[in-house]
Amino acid sequence: MTAKGNLWRDSAGESISTVPLSGDVTADLCVIGGGFTGCSAALRAAGAGASVVLIEAETVGHGGSGRNVGLVNAGLWTPPEEITQLLPDQAAGFIARLGEAPAEVFRLIERHQIDCEPVRNGTLHLAHAEAGMADLRNRHRQQAALGAPVRLLDAAETRARTGTDGFHGALLDMRAGTVQPLGYARGLARAAIGAGARLHEMTPATAVRHEGGTWHVTTPGGTIRAGALILATNAYHRPFDGPGVPPVVIPSFFQAATAPLPEATLEAILPGGEGCWDTGLVMTSVRRDRAGRLILGAFGSMEAAGRGVHLAWARRKLAALYPALAGQAFTHAWSGRIAMTGDHLPKILRLGPRGLAAFGYSGRGIAPGTVFGAALAEALVSGSEDGLPLRPVDGHRDGFAGLRGAWIETGATLVHATGARF
């Protein structure tokens, strides 16, 4: 059986209808990129009464937002004490803001009745080895010191929650949950359209310049003139003539989904619906969707030569975690790109007067992207940057970004080919 592509495209409950931009238009704000950040920005700005035009080179959620695992996590991969070292004068507010980010996601889902399979029963960070358990103890200590509702689970409770004895323990974070990510992105877009924003899919930016106090965004079908600009293309940035996103490390993360499993089987596999990922260097993710599919993910691309290697590993991994599922076919397999910065912290880049870009969520796109997009829009509409989660920077550079991305891809392929862990 040949696995089809992106499951989320087949199962998304939300849809929108747009047409490519045609002609010249003016707006208060132009947003380039139709993922979590861009759609959140368009929704917030339009809700504040601004005229908004959002353009997307493909379709809403085409990039990482529509290929995401769907874990709505609190905070970042980087633990609080490390963030404090990197951002000593911004860390407290930044950590608190992202700790509250999942609540904002689920509030938006409820307010706009977004059909995206929301489940808020927490997420499990799983210890793949005893060394991973030591890492989780450290993370638990740091999060608990800040008052986060996190709990360290032993191997027995982890087994009861996951249905497998493949892990040494877990860190449960009750702030978090899961969504169908493409449904969420499309739902934000639908809400933005309802608030008055104009969205144009299949409309790439070919040139961007600031002249005479106005941003001029050229597309194949026309030009947008706007007082403010948000660039929200992240790992799927397409170079154009003008300021863009600087090079960052861009590895791929793939997922493989089974057919819906019988109810009797699901009673023992993630019965609470938590989304999971482990502490392995070549990380593995595990979750269920509303239909009862089990979805396994890891670093690697389904669009490159290693596809067969990664799928073979996924079959072995599935059987190792859940022996009853040995031989279970995958009906879908797909991958998406992740934009990772060297310090694993997102950046807000100043593009010019009233022009900002956000990028580099390093695998935590849903909640931070939602918060960053809304904050960028609010700052540009109001004229005050006080509410931004981070201060904008004038430039960013990650050395050897391309080589580092290739190293991650190669390492994941070797690990999956040999079955080794490192």
Side-chain angles (χ1 to χ4, degrees):
M1 177 181 181
T2 301
K4 295 188 289 185
N6 188 348
L7 167 66
W8 306 136
R9 289 195 170 271
D10 287 347
S11 66
E14 292 277 350
S15 63
I16 60 170
S17 178
T18 75
V19 296
L21 179 68
S22 177
D24 298 336
V25 299
T26 60
D28 297 319
L29 172 66
C30 176
V31 180
I32 303 176
F36 302 131
T37 303
C39 291
S40 175
L43 174 57
R44 179 62 64 90
S51 57
V52 181
V53 175
L54 182 152
I55 59 172
E56 161 59 46
E58 296 287 343
T59 57
V60 164
H62 168 81
S65 296
R67 303 162 189 263
N68 196 284
V69 175
L71 305 185
V72 187
N73 278 312
L76 298 172
W77 180 86
T78 306
E81 290 178 359
E82 189 173 337
I83 294 174
T84 300
Q85 292 176 352
L86 294 167
L87 302 170
D89 62 337
Q90 301 183 70
F94 179 57
I95 292 168
R97 189 82 169 270
L98 292 192
E100 298 167 356
E104 176 61 17
V105 170
F106 289 103
R107 278 195 296 268
L108 287 170
I109 291 169
E110 183 175 3
R111 183 181 308 145
H112 300 289
Q113 293 297 289
I114 298 175
D115 184 0
C116 63
E117 308 181 19
V119 177
R120 198 178 185 190
N121 286 346
T123 53
L124 294 167
H125 194 177
L126 303 166
H128 78 290
E130 187 53 45
M133 198 63 200
D135 178 37
L136 295 187
R137 292 189 189 100
N138 184 43
R139 290 175 181 271
H140 175 263
R141 175 186 60 78
Q142 295 184 41
Q143 294 283 5
L146 296 173
V150 294
R151 189 158 65 90
L152 202 60
L153 310 183
D154 62 17
E157 187 168 359
T158 301
R159 185 183 310 114
R161 286 179 175 270
T162 61
T164 175
D165 59 4
F167 301 102
H168 291 239
L171 183 62
L172 171 65
D173 189 338
M174 290 306 299
R175 296 171 294 182
T178 64
V179 296
Q180 208 276 23
L182 181 57
Y184 176 59
R186 287 179 177 174
L188 290 176
R190 171 180 57 77
I193 293 170
R198 295 179 56 180
L199 269 68
H200 298 282
E201 297 171 303
M202 308 308 294
T203 303
T206 57
V208 175
R209 74 181 194 280
H210 188 269
E211 183 178 280
T214 301
W215 287 98
H216 300 257
V217 179
T218 304
T219 78
T223 299
I224 304 159
R225 292 184 293 276
L229 174 72
I230 291 175
L231 183 58
T233 50
N234 205 29
Y236 284 77
H237 181 70
R238 293 187 178 188
F240 48 68
D241 182 16
V245 175
V248 292
V249 179
I250 303 182
S252 294
F253 195 89
F254 79 86
Q255 295 174 80
T258 70
L261 301 174
E263 285 296 327
T265 302
L266 292 172
E267 287 177 359
I269 298 177
L270 294 170
E274 302 94 339
C276 311
W277 77 104
D278 73 6
T279 54
L281 185 57
V282 180
M283 184 185 78
T284 299
S285 65
V286 186
R287 64 160 296 186
R288 285 169 43 175
D289 73 350
R290 182 165 57 193
R293 302 176 180 92
L294 191 66
I295 305 166
L296 190 70
F299 280 106
S301 175
M302 286 288 131
E303 301 172 4
R307 175 185 173 91
V309 170
H310 297 310
L311 276 175
W313 169 87
R315 295 186 191 99
R316 296 195 305 272
K317 184 70 172 180
L318 183 66
L321 290 175
Y322 301 104
L325 298 183
Q328 177 74 43
F330 291 116
T331 62
H332 294 76
W334 70 101
S335 58
R337 301 198 294 268
I338 297 171
M340 299 175 62
T341 60
D343 57 11
H344 296 106
L345 298 184
K347 310 297 176 188
I348 298 176
L349 179 69
R350 198 179 300 282
L351 302 172
R354 301 189 67 206
L356 297 171
F359 62 93
Y361 302 117
S362 300
R364 292 289 182 94
I366 298 178
T370 299
V371 167
F372 270 61
L376 264 61
E378 196 165 299
L380 292 173
V381 170
S382 70
S384 172
E385 296 182 349
D386 293 344
L388 289 174
L390 290 174
R391 286 196 295 269
V393 297
D394 293 323
H396 175 77
R397 179 177 174 80
D398 277 322
F400 305 104
L403 290 175
R404 289 162 62 197
W407 180 87
I408 294 173
E409 296 274 2
T410 302
T413 302
L414 289 173
V415 167
H416 291 164
T418 62
R421 285 184 174 271
F422 69 101

